Amino acid sequence: MFALVDCNNFYASCERVFRPDLKEKPIVVLSNNDGCIIARSNEAKSLGIPMGAPVFEYETLIEKNKVNVFSANFALYGDMSQRVMGILGEYTPELEIYSIDEAFMKLQGFEKFNLQTYAEEIQLNVSKWTGIPISIGIAPTKALSKVANRIAKKFPKETKSVHIIDTEEKRIKALKWLKVEDVWGIGRQHSKRLNALNINTAYDFTQMTDSWVRKHLSVVGLRLKHDLEGIPTLDFEEVLPKKNIATTRSFEKLYTEFDEIKERVTTFAVSCSEKLRRQKSACNSLMVFLHTNGYRQDLPQYSRNIIVKLPFPSNSSIELAKFATEALAKIFKKGYSYKKAGVIVMEFSQEDNVQLNIFENSNLKHIPLMKSIDRINAMYGQQKVRLASQDIKKVWKMKQLRLSPRYTTNINEIIIINC
DNA sequence: TCTGGGGTCCTAGGACCC
DNA sequence: TCTGGGGTCCTAGGACCC
């Protein structure tokens, strides 16, 4: 059996852990630059605030209902996630961390266990030790555990947030209940086409022939179908090093000057370099893009990207910043107001297995230098040591007006309890 | 006025090889 | 009029996930 553990309203729940006064109060968490709503507590959902909504469109609703608004505090969420995953790891030999708030547990050899009791124990301890509420779905395949989890989430009272699909009868009932657009792996485009053919539930989908599914939803859809039928097809995925790494941001205001954007792009390239070094990769090419604000129809629009092949693989902040800013210079055009830019590094080699080139090579002196910089930044906080071409005043020029303290990762911001 | 930031996989078609 | 039969690699685009 597989269990899918999902943290309820994860970001909102993280904020609530350190603000018990917000229990049962509506909470929303905003994207970078405080632009969109990316997480909502149940109370906020009931108010009709949709996922991904621009905040400004819901300002009155938020004020009227005293919704508590937070800027995204990824340091806090990342740390809380690690704590939850650490606890889950103690309950299974195999844990696949699927996202910041979700993990699959393999429960092979647990036949003698009462899985209901086991799940309730996990739930209790995660709640006790981290304060985060979780839902658990258990089933013979990954896709079905996703379905079970959805039922646990939808009916928290009846299920105590744990649902197990362990009979054919329960499987059919669950699939007949689940709308096809809510199936894991079936997105907007596919569900539109399926609905048009009167395929409305997950059960309807499993009634289609294999060849039809293969033809219209590719092998991906076919694997999913088998998994939903109870034939284990989707297995645990290894944690592989990433194949692409991106750092992209919208700006807090429109930029017109090359130098302003150059500073941003330098910072993005440095951030990509750090992520590369963390997974011991070096990249062979990188992409830089920038564009104006597509929502502003009153302004002239411009959008371009450029891919640069590097003469040698590198993960040096200095080198990647140089290549990225050279690339930027080729696509930057004066006279536009820019809203967003980004750097994406691609085509990785292993850092310690880099093919040397006869003419040009990555500067070997950068290796110990980057090691030292990473160590210092790990010890004294991100971005303590920076390139001179990066802005020294701010780490990220980002609007974050309602940021909560870094309760768990900075000793100065730790929670204070008055006894 | 204000509109997020990451990732993955698959397929079809074109260019090339013998 | 009829015009082979394999391959590989790369890219763009489309779908999906959180």
Side-chain angles (χ1 to χ4, degrees):
Chain A
M1 297 290 259
F2 292 93
L4 174 66
V5 179
D6 190 315
C7 301
N8 303 344
N9 315 321
F10 184 55
Y11 297 169
S13 298
C14 286
E15 298 294 347
R16 186 129 70 190
V17 169
F18 299 92
R19 290 283 307 274
D21 58 305
L22 299 184
K23 209 172 165 189
E24 284 161 26
K25 303 257 167 67
I27 298 173
V28 297
V29 178
L30 309 184
S31 63
N32 283 336
N33 277 320
D34 292 348
C36 290
I37 292 160
I38 56 167
R40 307 152 297 156
S41 69
N42 285 339
E43 299 76 13
K45 287 178 190 172
S46 317
L47 289 171
I49 300 173
M51 179 69 178
V55 197
F56 68 89
E57 288 178 4
Y58 286 85
E59 212 95 337
T60 34
L61 186 76
I62 286 171
E63 263 170 50
K64 216 170 80 194
N65 294 283
K66 298 203 177 68
V67 177
N68 297 274
V69 181
F70 291 93
S71 302
N73 186 344
F74 290 113
L76 176 65
Y77 312 149
D79 185 66
M80 292 302 287
S81 172
Q82 276 187 31
R83 291 170 192 236
V84 172
M85 299 304 171
I87 296 168
L88 299 182
E90 290 176 23
Y91 284 92
T92 175
E94 283 180 87
L95 184 75
E96 180 191 335
I97 298 173
Y98 181 68
S99 74
I100 193 163
D101 69 334
E102 260 179 74
F104 289 99
M105 300 169 72
K106 217 179 229 181
L107 301 177
Q108 223 163 33
F110 283 61
E111 290 79 12
K112 297 236 163 64
F113 283 62
N114 179 330
L115 292 179
Q116 179 76 32
T117 323
Y118 198 64
E120 281 172 21
E121 185 191 322
I122 296 171
Q123 202 176 43
L124 182 71
N125 283 332
V126 168
S127 161
K128 200 154 62 177
W129 296 336
T130 67
I132 299 291
I134 59 173
S135 302
I136 304 181
I138 299 177
T141 70
K142 280 173 92 175
L144 285 172
S145 73
K146 270 273 194 185
V147 178
N149 184 281
R150 226 183 155 85
I151 294 171
K153 251 193 180 160
K154 190 82 185 181
F155 307 102
K157 290 214 179 72
E158 297 86 330
T159 61
K160 292 198 265 178
S161 296
V162 174
H163 186 66
I164 305 179
I165 295 177
D166 53 0
T167 64
E168 188 62 4
E169 197 190 337
K170 283 191 190 170
R171 184 182 74 85
I172 304 281
K173 195 175 167 198
L175 293 189
K176 285 190 171 166
W177 169 79
L178 188 66
K179 287 195 233 125
V180 75
E181 59 262 40
D182 293 334
V183 173
W184 181 44
I186 295 186
R188 286 247 287 281
Q189 299 306 314
H190 286 328
S191 37
K192 226 198 291 177
R193 280 180 41 205
L194 292 168
N195 287 156
L197 293 162
N198 210 20
I199 302 164
N200 297 311
T201 65
Y203 181 77
D204 296 342
F205 174 65
T206 59
Q207 294 312 106
M208 306 308 287
T209 64
D210 280 6
S211 59
W212 189 90
V213 174
R214 172 70 180 77
K215 190 171 163 212
H216 293 92
L217 286 88
S218 86
V219 294
V220 182
L222 187 57
R223 285 183 202 136
L224 174 66
K225 183 194 172 221
H226 290 156
D227 227 50
L228 288 172
E229 288 171 325
I231 307 160
T233 308
L234 307 172
D235 202 357
F236 263 42
E237 309 221 340
E238 282 177 78
V239 187
L240 297 169
K242 289 196 172 63
K243 297 176 174 174
N244 295 295
I245 291 175
T247 303
T248 72
R249 288 290 179 281
S250 299
F251 308 137
E252 87 288 4
K253 65 181 181 70
L254 296 175
Y255 286 172
T256 52
E257 298 308 311
F258 177 74
D259 284 346
E260 294 176 312
I261 299 170
K262 183 180 158 192
E263 186 281 328
R264 294 286 74 202
V265 164
T266 302
T267 298
F268 300 158
V270 168
S271 162
C272 284
S273 317
E274 286 165 353
K275 295 176 189 172
L276 276 172
R277 296 198 292 272
R278 227 171 290 153
Q279 69 164 34
K280 300 196 189 308
S281 298
C283 71
N284 288 278
S285 70
L286 65 79
M287 177 166 100
V288 177
F289 71 82
L290 85 163
H291 58 239
T292 49
N293 186 347
Y295 293 100
R296 290 286 297 271
Q297 282 164 10
D298 54 326
L299 294 177
Q301 297 290 322
Y302 176 74
S303 164
R304 262 199 81 176
N305 67 62
I306 182 170
I307 295 177
V308 191
K309 292 259 173 209
L310 307 193
F312 44 78
S314 169
N315 62 16
S316 151
S317 301
I318 297 167
E319 285 166 351
L320 294 188
K322 190 182 118 237
F323 290 122
T325 51
E326 285 171 4
L328 175 69
K330 288 188 185 143
I331 56 172
F332 176 85
K333 262 196 193 158
K334 212 159 165 44
Y336 291 100
S337 302
Y338 293 101
K339 179 61 179 174
K340 183 171 177 172
V343 175
I344 303 171
V345 290
M346 300 171 295
E347 293 185 77
F348 299 165
S349 314
Q350 270 190 15
E351 163 184 76
D352 50 9
N353 195 12
V354 157
Q355 179 64 51
L356 293 180
N357 184 305
I358 308 177
F359 303 108
E360 266 186 301
N361 284 301
S362 179
N363 190 334
L364 295 177
K365 286 182 185 165
H366 288 183
I367 295 171
L369 176 59
M370 293 302 139
K371 273 213 171 82
S372 304
I373 291 177
D374 290 340
R375 240 197 333 260
I376 294 167
N377 283 341
M379 211 180 291
Y380 297 103
Q382 278 294 295
Q383 313 284 319
K384 210 45 116 186
V385 179
R386 271 173 262 177
L387 301 190
S389 47
Q390 292 180 262
D391 197 304
I392 26 173
K393 293 188 290 288
K394 284 183 188 169
V395 175
W396 291 113
K397 285 189 166 178
M398 213 157 48
K399 198 168 103 187
Q400 287 187 304
L401 297 177
R402 328 181 79 150
L403 193 60
S404 53
R406 291 166 291 177
Y407 299 107
T408 61
T409 51
N410 189 310
I411 193 72
N412 300 316
E413 300 180 16
I414 201 166
I415 194 165
I416 295 168
I417 298 170
N418 298 305
C419 302

